[in-house]
Each structure stands twice: as structure tokens, then as C-alpha cells.
Amino acid sequence: MTPIDMAIQAGIWALEILAIAAPVALSVAYITYFERRIIGWVQVRQGCNRVGPAGLLQPLADGLKLFLKETIIPARANKLLFVGAPLMSLVPALIAFAVVPFGETSLFGIWDTPHVMAISNLNMGLLYVMAISSLSIYGVLMAGWASNSKYPIIGSIRSTCQMISYEIAMGFGLVTVMMLAGSLNLSDIVHAQAGGILHWYMIPLFPMLIVYFISGCAEVGRTPFDLTETEELVSGYHTEYSGMWFATFSLAEYGAMILISLMTSILFLGGWYAPIPALDIIPGTVWLLGKSAFLIFVFIWFRATFPRYRYDQMMRLGWKIFLPWTLGWIFVVGLFIYTPGLDSIIDFWLAWR
């Protein structure tokens, strides 16, 4: 490869990264707006409606406020880790989008075959997402320890226990998807669900859909699993943070929420395929983003509806209910796949046979 070819390839990668990072950042800003409006609607009040028409400029005002606020670093904090912790939480949430396929395109007929719209179409894409997203745990631990304060370290330990507990259930739940699709490639998993809603994995794996989505709520610390930010701990692991460093943690949380919604749509809801083949005239990316937007609405709906769990209730749900449930469903799926007579029932969803 010549230097010119390398430069062109680097420029293409930079544009692809910008094409994902910029919409994600803008989406995070306006998800906060719609969250306040939806919760206001649920609670029969207005929500934010002062800045701009219908309050649409409120996210920009909030961003400007956080940017202008003073960033305070505690005198006895480990300054390097204190500053690095928010980035350690944000970066994994963003680079996980590198393997997320947003659809297929032939670029208006220029290519003979459709290409997957992803920065990298990895054969181990599902494993990559699980591995990279789990790295955000280190940012939480770093934030609590570097603050050199009792409340943040307690909050970071509780948050780490919560994230690890529910990652195990999420991982086992995704094993069943791999068993049906026969691949860890995210675009292959979507292709295995082609043909309409009856082919989607939400039907044979509906319990795993519930486990994955609820575990995703716990993974990103959303209500009713936001125990690391409750009043008894002041504000959890980011108690000592202010200004843009605090906003970086919030950006990481909402970025992870978008990622969980996209992954749920890809793994269980047919990805970019329409529920009825006749509706495939609508671009696949529109279907994928529409499904993800609905799941983000469900995240917000949970926040407006459910009371917060106690810590022991949350851990019991992860270890005593979700973990046995996922292990049992792996056994059931394996039994149907490899038992003569029963395999014909599940052959409908086995694209690799």
C-alpha cells in the first residue's frame, strides 16, 4: 500500500468515526431534553420549555453552563487519575460503536453488492462489544479511588459490583443468540433474522430479551438501578466532580444507553429489517434507529415509573433470578437444537443449518 493509499484510507476512517461520534454526541444532548419532557408528561407537568421554542435550546444552554463552570480538583486527590477517570468511562462507550452495523447500502448502485454500514465489520463483533463496554468499570473505580473521599469510594465499589453482576447475566443471555445465529458477527446475526417479525429472535429468546434489556439498565446505572447515585451516597462515585468532568460521566451513561438500545435491536428485533418484508422499501437504517428510539423511550419510561431497588434486591435479581434463568435457557435452546425430533421446532430460526 502506497503512502497515498494509506492517507486516503486514514481519511476514510476519520470520516467514518466522525459520522458516528458527532450524531452520538448530538443524540445524547437531545435525549436529555426528551427525557425531561417525557417525564414531565408522565407526571402531568410541563418539563423544560423556557429556552428556545418548546425548550429545544435547553441542551445547548446546559452544555454551555457546564462548560463555563469551574472544575474543582480536591487538594488530596490523585490528579492524574481524577482527570483520567471520566475519559476512561467515556472512551469505551464510544469505541464500542465501531462494530455496530447501521444497515447495508450499495451507495446508490455504485457497488454491485450491498456493504455493511459499520466502521469495522468484525467476525467477533459481539465479543468486541462485550469486552470493550466492560472496560468502563475501570473509569468508575478510578473516579472513586482518585477522589480520596469515603463516599465516592463506597459508591464506586457498589457500582462495580452492580456492573459485574449484571454483565454475567448479559453475557450468558447472548450465548443463546450465538447458538441460533451460528456467528459472532453482528451483521450475520441480523441477516439470520431476515424475513419478517416471525424470524426475529425476540420470539424464541423472549426471556433473554428481557434479561438483556433489564441488565442493560443496571449496567448503565439507570433507574431503578441507580443506587450508585442515591442520596445516601451524596452523588456516588462522581461526588467530587464538577463542570465538564461531571458532564463527561453523563455523556458516557447516555452513550452506553444508546449502545444497549442498538444492540437490543440488532440481537433480538431484526436489526435493520422491517417487521413485514413489504415495508423493506423504507431504508433499513430508519428501521434500526426507530427500534432503538423506542427502546430509549422505554429506558425513560422506567425512570418515570419504577421506584428504586434496595441494594440487596438488586443483587438478588442479578444472581438468584437472571443468572439461573439464562443458564436454564441455554440448556433449553441446546436441547431443542441437538435433540432429534425437537430440532425441527427450532429449525425456523437456525440460519446456519
Side-chain angles (χ1 to χ4, degrees):
M1 183 179 287
T2 64
I4 295 178
D5 292 335
M6 294 174 63
I8 292 174
Q9 185 63 55
I12 293 173
W13 284 342
L15 290 175
E16 288 176 339
I17 293 170
L18 184 63
I20 292 178
V24 167
L26 187 62
S27 298
V28 167
Y30 277 91
I31 285 173
T32 61
Y33 166 78
F34 285 110
E35 180 170 28
R36 285 181 282 185
R37 294 290 287 184
I38 291 169
I39 293 176
W41 170 67
V42 172
Q43 298 175 347
V44 196
R45 57 182 177 81
Q46 289 295 319
C48 55
N49 62 351
R50 297 290 182 180
V51 185
L56 287 172
L57 298 181
Q58 186 67 51
L60 303 180
D62 291 340
L64 180 62
K65 179 194 72 171
L66 290 167
F67 182 77
L68 296 177
K69 287 191 70 168
E70 180 182 6
T71 300
I72 300 172
I73 301 178
R76 297 193 178 187
N78 185 315
K79 293 178 175 56
L80 179 62
L81 295 182
F82 188 87
V83 172
L87 298 178
M88 191 62 194
S89 293
L90 176 62
V91 170
L94 293 181
I95 63 176
F97 284 93
V99 298
V100 175
F102 289 89
E104 289 183 326
T105 181
S106 60
L107 202 60
F108 306 105
I110 295 177
W111 296 322
D112 293 333
T113 58
H115 286 55
V116 176
M117 297 168 59
I119 294 176
S120 180
N121 189 25
L122 289 182
N123 288 330
M124 303 291 286
L126 184 57
L127 185 61
Y128 171 88
V129 171
M130 290 296 295
I132 292 298
S133 59
S134 66
L135 293 178
S136 59
I137 292 174
Y138 293 104
V140 172
L141 274 175
M142 285 169 58
W145 187 84
S147 297
N148 194 24
S149 176
K150 293 182 176 61
Y151 283 124
I153 190 63
I154 292 173
S156 67
I157 292 172
R158 290 175 66 169
S159 182
T160 301
C161 293
Q162 174 178 327
M163 295 169 75
I164 291 174
S165 299
Y166 282 87
E167 272 184 0
I168 295 172
M170 290 176 74
F172 280 123
L174 296 184
V175 169
T176 58
V177 175
M178 182 189 67
M179 293 170 69
L180 292 184
S183 175
L184 287 170
N185 185 294
L186 293 176
S187 59
D188 288 347
I189 292 173
V190 175
H191 289 150
Q193 301 176 72
I197 192 171
L198 294 179
H199 291 262
W200 294 0
Y201 287 157
M202 64 174 287
I203 295 176
L205 302 179
F206 184 75
M208 298 301 97
L209 166 62
I210 300 299
V211 168
Y212 184 81
F213 188 74
I214 294 178
S215 297
C217 292
E219 181 76 6
V220 300
R222 295 284 301 181
T223 307
F225 303 99
D226 57 338
L227 294 163
T228 56
E229 304 169 10
T230 53
E231 292 79 5
E232 62 184 273
L233 294 176
V234 185
S235 188
Y237 58 88
H238 44 55
T239 298
E240 303 293 343
Y241 284 87
S242 60
M244 283 306 296
W245 293 125
F246 177 83
T248 303
F249 280 116
S250 181
L251 181 62
E253 176 187 327
Y254 282 91
M257 186 171 73
I258 296 172
L259 179 65
I260 293 292
S261 300
L262 283 168
M263 290 296 295
T264 305
S265 302
I266 289 169
L267 298 172
F268 298 99
L269 303 179
W272 56 77
Y273 287 115
I276 303 172
L279 296 177
D280 281 334
I281 57 173
I282 300 174
T285 305
V286 175
W287 283 112
L288 177 61
L289 296 180
K291 296 170 186 176
S292 302
F294 171 74
L295 293 173
I296 291 172
F297 167 75
V298 176
F299 270 109
I300 298 171
W301 187 9
F302 281 3
R303 181 172 183 177
T305 304
F306 294 110
R308 185 179 294 124
Y309 279 127
R310 293 197 316 264
Y311 193 77
D312 63 305
Q313 292 174 326
M314 181 198 67
M315 298 302 285
R316 186 187 306 119
L317 178 66
W319 287 102
K320 293 186 177 182
I321 298 177
F322 280 179
L323 183 57
W325 199 357
T326 53
L327 291 174
W329 212 253
I330 290 173
F331 173 78
V332 169
V333 172
L335 188 68
F336 273 84
I337 291 176
Y338 297 107
T339 302
L342 294 178
D343 57 349
S344 60
I345 299 174
I346 207 168
D347 266 348
F348 186 72
W349 292 283
L350 296 178
W352 50 271
R353 281 196 174 181

